[in-house]
Amino acid sequence: MTQPKEIAPDLQEGIDRKLLKQLRERFLEVNHGRLERMLSTLSVRHRMFLESLPLLLHINHPSLPGYVSGSTPNGVCGFTPNKANLRAASSISRSFAYRKRPLQQERIFSIFLMGSTGTVAHSDTSDMDIWICYDPALSQGAVDELQDKLHGIEVWADSIGLEVHFFLMDPIKFRNGVRSDLSGEDCGSAQHYLLLDEFYRTSIMVAGRYPLWWMIPAYDENRYTEIADMLLRKRFLKPDDCVDFGGISDFPAGEFIGAGMWQLYKGIDSPYKSVIKIVLTEVYASEYPNVESLSIVYKKKVYAGNLDLDELDPYVMLYRKIENYLIERKELRRLELIRHCFYFKVNESLSRTPNQVMTNWRRQVMLRLVREWGWNENYIQQLDNRRYWKVNRVSMERQELVQELNHSYRFLSSFARENNIEALIKQEDMNILGRKLYAAFERKGGKIELVNPGITASLVEEHLSFHYVRDEEHGINNYWAVFSGYLKEREARGREPTKKGRSIIELISWCYFNKLLDQTTRLSVEDNDTDMTEHELQQTVQSFFQIHGETLPYAPQQNFDHSAFPTKITLYINAGIDPMRPMTLKGIHRLSDQSDALSYSAFHHNLAITVDQVTFNSWGEIICSHYSGENALIDCLVHYMRQIPPDGSIPLPRLDVRCYCPSRASAIALRVEELFRDIISCYYSGTRSLDTRYILEIEQFIYMLQFRRNTPYVRGMRNYKDLIEALGESQPQYSQIVVDRNALVKHPLRMVAKMGAPGRIQAFYQSNGDQADIFIHDELGSIFFTQKNYFDEKTVLNPIRHFLENIQLRRSTLDRKDDIPSQKVAYYYISRNRRGDMQTRRKEFKALEHDEEHHSIQAIAQTGTFGDVFYTIYCDNQEFSQLEYGDALFAAVAGYIASLRRNREQYPCYITDLDLSQLDLPQGEQLQTVQFLQHKEKLESAINSALRLA
C-alpha cells in the first residue's frame, strides 16, 4: 500500500480548498479506522451503547434511555441515523420508531470519545470518557436538563455493565480556561493545555463537528488563533462543520506542577496509569520551553501521510516518547517499570491462548512490543500471574511505583523552583492534593502502610504464624514477626519474616488491613515465653472483623479540607501479657476487697500493663501506638486528650476497649473504658470548665490532669502530701476538682472536692485524736491544708475564722473586684458513719468576740528589689520590720510576745490579719485566699519556732 503524500500547506502564500478537504478527509480516515478498531473489541451490549448514543442525543424519545422531556436540548450537528444506529435503538426499545423532523435545531455540536477508549490500552473492563460539546447559546436551565439526560444515560449504561462518564463542554468557556473544581473524574484547575493535548491526540469523533485544530499545520500552531479566525471569516471552513477548543502552542510551565500533583492524586488508587502520565509530564517539563507535545507529533504524522494505526495509537505514541527520554538518560530501571505499567494498563495476557479464532489487533500490537523489549515467556507469565502475587512481591512493586511517583514529583518541584514558576492550580486544590498524598504515601511511626493499591486481586494467606523473637544478645530489641504458612520456631530461624513489629497488635493490624487474613485464614503463635495464646490471638483477630468490618477506611474528599483528626480508636489492653502472672508465681493472692483493676488488692497493683491503640483518622490513615511501663495507661490517656481538642471543633471518635488476657480480662477492659468515658464526660461534654482538675489513682501513683490553653497536662505524685501541695497552687479562674470514681476513696479530699463551690470559701475539718486536719477550699478551687493541735472546736477554728473574716473585709474594701468572695465562710465537720463512709455536717458559729488575752498580729508583705519578699509585722501596734531586724525578725517578734505572757507560756500564736497588696504578681495572676493562708502558715511557723526558743 502506497503511503499518502505529505500535505504541507503554506497558509501565508494562499489557501487551497482542495488541500483543506484532503486534510479533513485524512483525519476522518484515521478517525474512522480508530472507531472501527474500537467497535471490533467491544462486547455486543457495549457496541449497542456506542451505536445508539448519537441517536439518543439527536432526539428525545420517552422509550429511550435518559429521556427527561421533549424540550431537552437535542439534535447532533450533521447527524443522520444509519442502519446501525436505528438497529441499536430498536434493540433497546421495540416500540421505538424513528421519524425525521424537518428543520430540527442542532444543539449538540459534537460527541467525542476521549482518553484510552479506542486505544491499545482500552479493555473490556475500561470505562468510557465522553465529551458532549453543546451550543454555548443554551441557557443554564437547558444545560442542567441536558446534564440530567446524560446522567440517565450513564445509569442505563451501568445497567449493561459499562462505566461511562459524560463531560459537558462549552467550547467558548473551555477556550477561556473555565474549569470546574477538583473531583474524582476531573482534573480541576490542575491542567488545561495538557488536557487539551490529551484530547487532540486521543479523541475519536462519534458524530457531529470535527475539531478545527485538525486544519492548522503544526508549524503554524503558534499562530493558531489568527489562522483559525481567518479560515472561518473567509469561509474556507464552514462554522457549522467544525468546533474550536483552541490551540496548544505555548504550555504554561506551571501546568506541569499542577498536572503532576493531579496524577499523583489519581495514582493513589490507580498507580499504573498515573505513573505513565506523570512521567509524560516530566518529559514535557524537561523540554520546556520548546515542548513538542504528543498531539503535535500526532498532527505531524497525519500531515506527513503516516497513517499506520498502530503507530498512531495514542498509548503507543505516549510509550515511545517516554522510552526515548529514559533511554537518553540511561534510566533503564525506570523504563522497565514503565513497561510494566503499560503492559498492565493494556491488560492483554500474552501468555494465555486467546479465545478468538482471529487474534485481535491489540494483542498483535503488544506481541510486537514485548519482542522489542526482549521479554521471554517466563517473564510474561510472571506478570500475567499478577493476581496471584503474594505480599512480598506486591510490596516490592508498590515500592517501585511510589518511588517513581515521588521521583517525578521531586523533578517537577525542582523544575518549578529553578524556573520560578507558580503552579496553575488553585491553592485549595493544592492543599487537598498535598494532604491526600501525605496520607497515602508518607511513612511515619506506627502507620499501617497499605501495600496493595490495586496491584493484585488478593493477598489472603491460608496460614499465618506469629512469632515472638527475643534479642538474645542485648535483651532490649525484642519484636513480633509474622510468617506466611505454618512454621515452628526452629523452622523460622534464618527466614525473613513477612513483617516485623514491636507489638502483636501492630502486626495483626498490618495483616488485617492489607487483607492477608480473612475468616478462613488459620493462625498459630510461637509465644517464646510470653503469655500470648492461640485463643487470645483468635479473639483479637475476630475483634477486628467485629469493629472494622471488611472494608478499608474511606476518606471523602471534603475531609482533606482540614487537618486530620481521629474518627475511631480501639484500645487493646495487655496483648500477650498476663498481669497476674508475677503475683501467681510468688503465690500472692488478693488480700483485700480492693477490686479496682488499676489499684488491685492490698498491694494496689495496676493490671493494665500495656496499651495498644489502633487509630483511624479522617484522612483514612491507620496508626498503631504502643504504650508500656508504669505510665502506659496515663500516657495513652494524655495522648487521647492531645489528639482531640476540647472545644468541640471535631466530633468525638468512636471508642472501643478490648482485653483478652488470661486474668480478669473483662474487668480490666471495663475499668479502662470507664476511665476514658469519665474523662470524656469531664472535659468533652461541655458541662465543666477546661480548667477542671481530674484526680486519678493508678497503682502507687496519684495523677492530676488539667487543660491549660487547650493543651492537656498531667502531673504524677507519689503521696497525698504532694497532691495537696499541687491542689494548693493558684488558679487563673475557678477550677473544679473532679475525683475519679475509684480514687481517694478513704481520704477527706474526696468529700472536699465533691462539695467545693465556685466563689465560696469553705472550711472542712476532722479530728484525729489530738490533731485536727483542716482543708480550706477557696473561691477559685485551690486547697489549703494544715494540721493543728486539737483541744476543742473553738480553739482550732477561731484563729482561722478571725483571719478569714479580716482578709475578706480587707479585700472587699480595697480591691472592689467582682470575684472577691463576699459570702460567709462555710464550715463543715467531716466524720464517718458506722460503715466507715465519710459524711459532712454544716457548722454554724456565733459572731467572734474580741479576746483581750490574744494578741493582734498583723503582717504586711512586699516584694523586694531582687524579687524576694520582705515582711513588716505589727504586734499590738508594735512594729517589727525586716528592714530593721533582717534575719532576726521572727526572734524579735517572738521575744516581744513572750514578754507579754505570764510565766512565758509556750502556746502558739496566730496571724490575725495580712496585707499582700504590695506583692508583685505574675502578669494576669490575681490574689486568692489560698495565698493569704500560705503566707499565714509560713509566718506562724517561723514565729512559733522562735517562741519555743524564747
Side-chain angles (χ1 to χ4, degrees):
M1 181 176 173
T2 305
Q3 178 174 314
K5 293 181 180 180
E6 181 177 5
I7 299 176
D10 186 347
L11 300 184
Q12 290 182 324
E13 293 293 325
I15 299 173
D16 187 338
R17 295 179 186 274
K18 289 183 179 180
L19 210 58
L20 292 177
K21 182 180 179 182
Q22 287 177 16
L23 270 178
R24 183 173 63 251
E25 289 176 349
R26 187 173 288 185
F27 275 100
L28 288 173
E29 178 186 344
V30 174
N31 186 85
H32 178 74
R34 291 186 58 208
L35 185 61
E36 286 300 314
R37 269 189 161 192
M38 182 204 60
L39 290 172
S40 71
T41 63
L42 296 181
S43 67
V44 174
R45 291 199 298 175
H46 293 179
R47 181 166 182 149
M48 172 191 69
F49 165 83
L50 206 57
E51 289 178 335
S52 67
L53 180 61
L55 186 56
L56 296 181
L57 296 175
H58 192 61
I59 62 174
N60 293 314
H61 196 285
S63 67
L64 295 178
Y67 178 79
V68 177
S69 73
S71 60
T72 304
N74 64 95
V76 178
C77 288
F79 173 72
T80 301
N82 59 27
K83 291 181 180 180
N85 302 135
L86 296 173
R87 185 168 57 248
S90 297
S91 66
I92 297 170
S93 172
R94 293 182 180 179
S95 63
F96 170 74
Y98 175 70
R99 294 183 180 85
K100 185 176 181 179
R101 291 184 298 170
L103 301 176
Q104 181 179 10
Q105 285 188 317
E106 296 178 334
R107 296 297 195 179
I108 310 298
F109 282 2
S110 301
I111 304 170
F112 294 101
L113 293 167
M114 187 264 196
S116 66
T117 307
T119 72
V120 70
H122 185 85
S123 67
D124 54 2
T125 59
S126 300
D127 59 358
M128 287 187 183
D129 291 343
I130 304 174
W131 282 23
I132 306 298
C133 182
Y134 64 90
D135 185 349
L138 287 177
S139 68
Q140 186 58 50
V143 174
D144 292 341
E145 189 168 331
L146 178 57
Q147 183 68 67
D148 291 341
K149 178 172 183 174
L150 294 175
H151 176 70
I153 297 173
E154 286 178 348
V155 172
W156 167 65
D158 186 65
S159 72
I160 60 172
L162 180 60
E163 184 181 351
V164 173
H165 305 284
F166 286 108
F167 298 91
L168 274 174
M169 308 303 292
D170 178 332
I172 296 177
K173 285 184 178 180
F174 189 89
R175 284 202 307 273
N176 293 331
V178 178
R179 305 293 299 125
S180 59
D181 292 330
L182 188 65
S183 66
E185 292 298 333
D186 192 7
C187 56
S189 64
Q191 44 188 301
H192 172 81
Y193 289 94
L194 286 168
L195 179 64
L196 190 57
D197 170 55
E198 183 181 3
F199 170 76
Y200 282 145
R201 63 185 168 83
T202 68
S203 61
I204 300 176
M205 185 179 68
V206 178
R209 304 179 181 183
Y210 63 86
L212 186 150
W213 178 83
W214 287 355
M215 313 309 292
I216 312 293
Y219 45 77
D220 281 329
E221 192 76 24
N222 59 344
R223 299 174 53 235
Y224 177 90
T225 303
E226 174 193 342
I227 294 174
D229 288 345
M230 183 267 294
L231 290 174
L232 293 172
R233 188 177 64 256
K234 294 186 176 181
R235 307 291 292 177
F236 288 106
L237 299 178
K238 295 179 181 178
D240 292 346
D241 288 346
C242 56
V243 60
D244 184 11
F245 290 111
I248 53 171
S249 59
D250 296 317
F251 281 88
E255 272 206 13
F256 302 133
I257 313 305
M261 289 291 288
W262 169 245
Q263 290 303 330
L264 280 168
Y265 178 93
K266 295 186 76 175
I268 294 168
D269 302 315
S270 181
Y272 288 115
K273 178 179 177 181
S274 290
V275 162
I276 294 174
K277 288 196 172 184
I278 196 173
V279 176
L280 175 64
T281 309
E282 178 186 333
V283 176
Y284 280 3
S286 72
E287 296 176 346
Y288 179 80
N290 302 310
V291 181
E292 185 177 50
S293 66
L294 283 172
S295 58
I296 295 298
V297 175
Y298 166 71
K299 186 190 284 191
K300 284 181 177 179
K301 284 179 177 287
V302 175
Y303 272 67
N306 299 325
L307 306 185
D308 183 336
L309 292 179
D310 289 350
E311 287 304 314
L312 289 178
D313 185 275
Y315 264 80
V316 173
M317 289 179 62
L318 183 155
Y319 168 75
R320 295 293 188 201
K321 190 169 185 72
I322 293 174
E323 180 184 53
N324 292 336
Y325 170 75
L326 294 177
I327 289 175
E328 185 179 337
R329 293 169 59 92
K330 297 182 172 57
E331 294 181 331
L332 301 184
R333 183 172 177 177
R334 293 181 70 196
L335 178 58
E336 191 64 16
L337 178 65
I338 292 298
R339 288 169 175 169
H340 280 201
C341 295
F342 188 88
Y343 187 78
F344 291 142
K345 172 61 181 164
V346 172
N347 196 27
E348 185 73 30
S349 298
L350 298 182
S351 64
R352 296 179 177 87
T353 304
N355 294 326
Q356 299 94 328
V357 176
M358 296 296 291
T359 304
N360 69 61
W361 67 272
R362 294 175 60 252
R363 188 178 181 88
Q364 292 290 351
V365 170
M366 286 309 303
L367 284 169
R368 189 170 71 250
L369 285 173
V370 298
R371 280 195 292 269
E372 283 183 25
W373 301 341
W375 287 4
N376 59 37
E377 290 183 8
N378 289 338
Y379 192 80
I380 294 171
Q381 189 167 22
Q382 182 190 21
L383 296 181
D384 287 344
N385 287 335
R386 177 166 59 116
R387 60 180 300 184
Y388 304 111
W389 286 359
K390 292 303 180 183
V391 65
N392 289 339
R393 179 67 180 85
V394 168
S395 296
M396 290 169 56
E397 188 81 0
R398 179 191 182 273
Q399 187 175 349
E400 291 284 337
L401 289 166
V402 172
Q403 183 176 329
E404 179 57 36
L405 291 171
N406 287 331
H407 170 91
S408 291
Y409 181 64
R410 285 193 301 270
F411 171 88
L412 294 169
S413 299
S414 174
F415 166 79
R417 287 192 302 271
E418 290 170 3
N419 292 277
N420 195 26
I421 297 167
E422 290 187 3
L424 295 184
I425 181 169
K426 297 175 187 175
Q427 188 57 48
E428 56 266 36
D429 286 353
M430 202 75 161
N431 292 340
I432 290 171
L433 293 175
R435 288 167 176 165
K436 184 148 187 167
L437 293 170
Y438 178 91
F441 297 138
E442 188 69 17
R443 287 176 173 167
K444 57 185 177 183
K447 180 175 174 179
I448 300 299
E449 195 172 36
L450 302 178
V451 301
N452 185 24
I455 295 173
T456 188
S458 173
L459 293 176
V460 173
E461 297 282 355
E462 292 183 7
H463 197 121
L464 290 173
S465 301
F466 291 83
H467 290 228
Y468 188 68
V469 182
R470 293 191 179 276
D471 176 10
E472 301 294 348
E473 184 177 351
H474 303 100
I476 57 174
N477 296 319
N478 304 330
Y479 60 89
W480 281 93
V482 63
F483 296 87
S484 173
Y486 177 64
L487 293 180
K488 301 297 287 183
E489 182 180 0
R490 184 180 65 257
E491 298 167 316
R493 286 177 189 160
R495 289 187 57 172
E496 186 65 24
T498 301
K499 182 73 175 174
K500 299 176 185 176
R502 61 175 179 163
S503 82
I504 194 167
I505 297 299
E506 183 178 341
L507 275 191
I508 293 171
S509 299
W510 186 85
C511 292
Y512 180 83
F513 293 113
N514 278 299
K515 297 189 179 298
L516 268 71
L517 55 82
D518 62 12
Q519 294 285 14
T520 66
T521 303
R522 296 189 297 277
L523 306 172
S524 59
V525 63
E526 290 291 314
D527 61 272
N528 202 355
D529 204 31
T530 68
D531 299 314
M532 177 58 70
T533 63
E534 288 190 9
H535 178 67
E536 182 181 348
L537 179 60
Q538 291 282 2
Q539 286 183 301
T540 304
V541 169
Q542 284 304 311
S543 72
F544 275 76
F545 286 102
Q546 295 164 9
I547 295 169
H548 306 295
E550 297 191 16
T551 57
L552 288 173
Y554 169 71
Q557 182 177 305
Q558 61 266 26
N559 286 13
F560 295 94
D561 292 341
H562 311 283
S563 299
F565 58 85
T567 57
K568 183 161 58 175
I569 291 176
T570 308
L571 304 180
Y572 289 92
I573 315 298
N574 300 336
I577 293 176
D578 181 358
M580 303 286 285
R581 187 184 190 189
M583 289 176 272
T584 303
L585 292 175
K586 293 178 182 179
I588 299 174
H589 301 282
R590 188 171 139 203
L591 302 177
S592 74
D593 60 355
Q594 185 71 22
S595 60
D596 177 16
L598 305 185
S599 187
Y600 184 74
S601 83
F603 295 97
H604 299 281
H605 289 293
N606 171 25
L607 301 185
I609 309 297
T610 65
V611 183
D612 285 278
Q613 178 175 310
V614 181
T615 303
F616 277 36
N617 70 23
S618 56
W619 289 1
E621 294 177 295
I622 309 159
I623 299 163
C624 292
S625 308
H626 179 72
Y627 304 92
S628 59
E630 60 185 14
N631 294 321
L633 184 58
I634 200 73
D635 287 345
C636 178
L637 182 59
V638 171
H639 184 240
Y640 176 94
M641 296 167 70
R642 284 179 182 155
Q643 286 181 294
I644 305 162
D647 57 8
S649 58
I650 63 171
L652 287 175
R654 170 184 164 181
L655 177 67
D656 285 281
V657 181
R658 300 299 175 103
C659 181
Y660 301 107
C661 66
S663 303
R664 302 188 64 79
S666 297
I668 294 169
L670 178 62
R671 178 67 183 101
V672 172
E673 184 164 356
E674 279 179 350
L675 172 59
F676 273 77
R677 301 287 181 204
D678 290 343
I679 289 290
I680 290 168
S681 175
C682 179
Y683 291 112
Y684 297 93
S685 63
T687 58
R688 293 187 179 93
S689 165
L690 296 183
D691 294 291
T692 299
R693 290 160 290 172
Y694 191 96
I695 310 300
L696 168 67
E697 284 188 271
I698 300 177
E699 202 162 278
Q700 307 295 333
F701 289 89
I702 306 166
Y703 297 95
M704 183 171 76
L705 298 165
Q706 186 179 24
F707 275 97
R708 296 177 189 167
R709 297 177 182 174
N710 275 357
T711 301
Y713 288 86
V714 62
R715 185 184 302 184
M717 295 153 285
R718 287 191 173 274
N719 52 53
Y720 295 132
K721 179 184 176 183
D722 293 344
L723 172 63
I724 291 169
E725 185 177 320
L727 293 175
E729 294 175 355
S730 59
Q731 300 295 320
Q733 58 190 32
Y734 179 72
S735 173
Q736 184 181 357
I737 300 170
V738 175
V739 180
D740 182 75
R741 64 177 70 199
N742 288 329
L744 308 180
V745 175
K746 297 181 180 180
H747 199 283
L749 272 175
R750 185 175 187 86
M751 190 61 67
V752 174
K754 180 180 178 181
M755 298 192 64
R760 296 285 306 275
I761 301 175
Q762 299 161 286
F764 301 81
Y765 64 98
Q766 69 174 8
S767 59
N768 288 320
D770 60 352
Q771 292 284 315
D773 297 332
I774 302 171
F775 300 86
I776 297 177
H777 180 284
D778 83 355
E779 66 279 4
L780 295 183
S782 295
I783 302 292
F784 173 77
F785 171 75
T786 187
Q787 279 189 323
K788 302 297 181 185
N789 292 329
Y790 184 78
F791 299 102
D792 57 43
E793 207 169 62
K794 177 181 176 182
T795 306
V796 169
L797 294 181
N798 277 2
I800 292 174
R801 292 178 60 203
H802 198 87
F803 178 79
L804 290 175
E805 286 184 11
N806 282 339
I807 65 167
Q808 273 193 288
L809 177 63
R810 174 183 295 278
R811 296 175 71 195
S812 62
T813 302
L814 299 179
D815 294 350
R816 297 184 180 179
K817 291 181 180 177
D818 295 337
D819 53 4
I820 301 302
S822 57
Q823 299 183 41
K824 287 176 58 178
V825 178
Y827 294 88
Y828 300 90
Y829 177 66
I830 300 174
S831 61
R832 297 183 184 274
N833 60 24
R834 292 178 180 178
R835 297 192 304 273
D837 299 329
M838 284 184 293
Q839 56 189 15
T840 60
R841 186 169 74 253
R842 177 78 179 265
K843 302 287 286 188
E844 299 289 347
F845 300 102
K846 294 179 181 178
L848 286 167
E849 298 177 358
H850 178 68
D851 188 349
E852 294 185 357
E853 293 185 4
H854 287 85
H855 305 287
S856 172
I857 304 177
Q858 181 190 19
I860 299 174
Q862 59 188 121
T863 304
T865 305
F866 301 104
D868 47 348
V869 177
F870 284 85
Y871 292 101
T872 302
I873 298 175
Y874 295 88
C875 183
D876 291 338
N877 295 319
Q878 180 70 34
E879 179 180 342
F880 298 87
S881 172
Q882 202 160 12
L883 294 174
E884 178 183 353
Y885 289 95
D887 292 341
L889 172 67
F890 301 116
V893 174
Y896 178 75
I897 293 172
S899 70
L900 298 177
R901 292 180 176 176
R902 302 187 199 100
N903 304 321
R904 303 180 77 86
E905 292 97 329
Q906 292 286 320
Y907 59 86
C909 70
Y910 299 98
I911 302 294
T912 55
D913 195 8
L914 180 62
D915 177 22
L916 301 179
S917 61
Q918 298 304 307
L919 288 181
D920 293 339
L921 299 175
Q923 187 174 5
E925 186 176 310
Q926 58 183 327
L927 280 172
Q928 60 184 94
T929 300
V930 71
Q931 292 165 307
F932 286 89
L933 291 166
Q934 288 165 350
H935 280 273
K936 173 182 183 293
E937 184 83 354
K938 175 182 176 181
L939 291 169
E940 288 176 352
S941 177
I943 294 171
N944 287 323
S945 294
L947 265 175
R948 287 191 288 273
L949 300 174

